[in-house]
Amino acid sequence: EGGKDFTENKWDGKNVLLFGSEGFGLNKNTLANSDFIFKISINKQMESLNIANSVAIVCHHINKVITNKKNWLYHFFGIF
């Protein structure tokens, strides 16, 4: 349960991604101090996605969005 769908974000600049657990999500304090809150839209017949699947889906999408960058990990996280 979150804000807008993560695919609606431009994903430019530097970002930090925080993923919550399946059952409890993120701490209320963490959410209150976040600039943006996104959700992954899933089939209503599914309760949730596990954390590994969630990270894979989001990173794959971000990789597609910033294809004009030679190394998206460097662009996104500042690492090689």
Side-chain angles (χ1 to χ4, degrees):
E1 301 183 30
K4 67 180 183 177
D5 192 285
F6 78 98
T7 60
E8 297 174 13
N9 194 46
K10 292 183 182 180
W11 298 110
D12 54 358
K14 295 190 179 196
N15 299 274
V16 173
L17 299 176
L18 303 172
F19 292 85
S21 67
E22 293 176 57
F24 300 104
L26 291 170
N27 178 291
K28 289 181 184 180
N29 224 10
T30 302
L31 291 171
N33 289 292
S34 298
D35 293 325
F36 303 101
I37 299 171
F38 297 105
K39 66 180 178 182
I40 299 173
S41 297
I42 60 172
N43 184 315
K44 293 181 190 239
Q45 295 177 346
M46 296 176 63
E47 282 188 37
S48 63
L49 294 172
N50 72 34
I51 195 75
N53 288 333
S54 299
V55 171
I57 289 167
V58 172
C59 287
H60 175 75
H61 175 76
I62 292 170
N63 184 41
K64 286 178 19 179
V65 168
I66 57 177
T67 55
N68 61 336
K69 300 294 180 185
K70 184 174 183 180
N71 184 334
W72 80 273
L73 284 174
Y74 177 78
H75 170 74
F76 198 71
F77 297 108
I79 60 174
F80 288 102

